[in-house]
Amino acid sequence: LEMYNDNPFAKKKETLGGFVSFSSQSTVRDFDKKEDELSRYFNCSLTEEKLDSTIEDGIVIDLIGNLYNKEAVLKCLQRKAVEKTPLPMRIEHVTGLKALVTCKFHKKEEHSEKTNNNSNNNNNNNNKFRPTIEKGVFSCPLTGLDFNGKTKFVVLRPSGVVVSEKAIREAKESCEEMNDGVSLKDAPPFIPINPTGEVLEAMKEQLEKENLMKTGGLI
């Protein structure tokens, strides 16, 4: 039996942000890298609980594309301001309310009709996302694409409206109308949701530069 104690295939590791994934050699996996990224379209990046789709304007995004339940982040910011409690590591880059954008999602009609009927069940069953879920609660208001991690979405600023990247390419004028009438050229850059790779690194670098400028650390 001793040979099984050092079984390398059963070892697991944690990814940045707290979502569990197993090594590439693991034979039993809850979350692989792809599923980890997919789960971020359904779960709060702070608490890992389901994103609250039952409350209007209940979801926010930070400047590097992470989604949160608004109430959870506001509680942490309040404790920092009042009790001087340090922010959790996952949101320590969030300097305040101005570093968050309230998302305006378009809820699919089928989910809007079921919200009242299922609200009690959702409160009692707040399990984390599992990869068996493929259909999103939200969709792009212009293209109809599901917000389920399979298609890239962005948050327009200043409006906070959430649309697919395809809408930016194919329905630019409609996007500008939804973005409080501000042209995309004149508006602040939109925020990609859950970016990865070089896009994420570039966004982190830009945020760091902006924070340094605010604190006088960069001339």
Side-chain angles (χ1 to χ4, degrees):
L1 295 176
E2 292 181 1
M3 65 180 291
Y4 293 100
N5 293 334
D6 297 324
N7 182 3
F9 301 105
K11 294 181 180 179
K12 66 180 181 180
K13 59 183 178 179
E14 291 206 3
T15 61
L16 180 63
F19 294 95
V20 177
S21 65
F22 288 77
S23 64
S24 58
Q25 295 179 335
S26 176
T27 55
V28 179
R29 298 178 300 172
D30 279 341
F31 285 101
D32 60 19
K33 183 178 179 181
K34 185 176 180 180
E35 291 164 349
D36 176 33
E37 294 175 355
L38 186 61
S39 69
R40 297 176 189 275
Y41 285 80
F42 295 85
N43 294 340
C44 171
S45 293
L46 173 61
T47 65
E48 297 185 25
E49 295 177 346
K50 288 181 180 179
L51 290 171
D52 193 348
S53 60
T54 64
I55 302 175
E56 185 176 359
D57 297 339
I59 301 172
V60 295
I61 191 170
D62 64 20
L63 298 181
I64 56 175
N66 298 312
L67 295 172
Y68 307 94
N69 283 326
K70 189 174 187 177
E71 184 178 359
V73 179
L74 292 183
K75 285 181 178 179
C76 289
L77 291 174
Q78 184 179 31
R79 284 197 293 267
K80 178 185 178 182
V82 177
E83 304 173 9
K84 308 302 179 183
T85 303
L87 292 174
M89 185 179 296
R90 297 180 186 182
I91 61 168
E92 61 184 3
H93 59 281
V94 178
T95 56
L97 292 178
K98 291 184 179 180
L100 298 169
V101 176
T102 299
C103 299
K104 295 181 180 179
F105 280 96
H106 175 261
K107 186 177 289 188
K108 295 165 63 176
E109 291 185 7
E110 59 190 271
H111 287 281
S112 297
E113 295 173 356
K114 295 178 181 178
T115 297
N116 293 331
N117 295 333
N118 295 336
S119 58
N120 292 332
N121 293 334
N122 290 337
N123 291 333
N124 296 327
N125 184 17
N126 202 20
N127 295 329
K128 298 172 187 176
F129 163 81
R130 286 294 180 267
T132 52
I133 301 175
E134 295 184 357
K135 292 185 178 181
V137 176
F138 306 113
S139 65
C140 175
L142 297 175
T143 64
L145 292 170
D146 269 2
F147 182 81
N148 59 7
K150 297 181 179 180
T151 306
K152 292 182 179 181
F153 275 71
V154 302
V155 177
L156 301 177
R157 291 194 289 175
S159 67
V161 172
V162 180
V163 298
S164 63
E165 283 193 0
K166 183 178 181 180
I168 296 287
R169 296 191 302 268
E170 300 182 2
K172 180 180 177 181
E173 292 184 359
S174 296
C175 287
E176 291 175 340
E177 290 178 6
M178 299 183 70
N179 194 31
D180 298 338
V182 181
S183 69
L184 296 181
K185 182 177 67 173
D186 297 329
F190 56 73
I191 304 174
I193 295 178
N194 297 319
T196 58
E198 294 181 358
V199 175
L200 176 59
E201 293 305 315
M203 292 174 69
K204 286 182 177 180
E205 289 179 8
Q206 180 62 30
L207 179 61
E208 186 176 356
K209 288 180 181 179
E210 292 176 0
N211 289 338
L212 285 173
M213 292 181 66
K214 291 177 183 178
T215 58
L218 184 64
I219 299 177

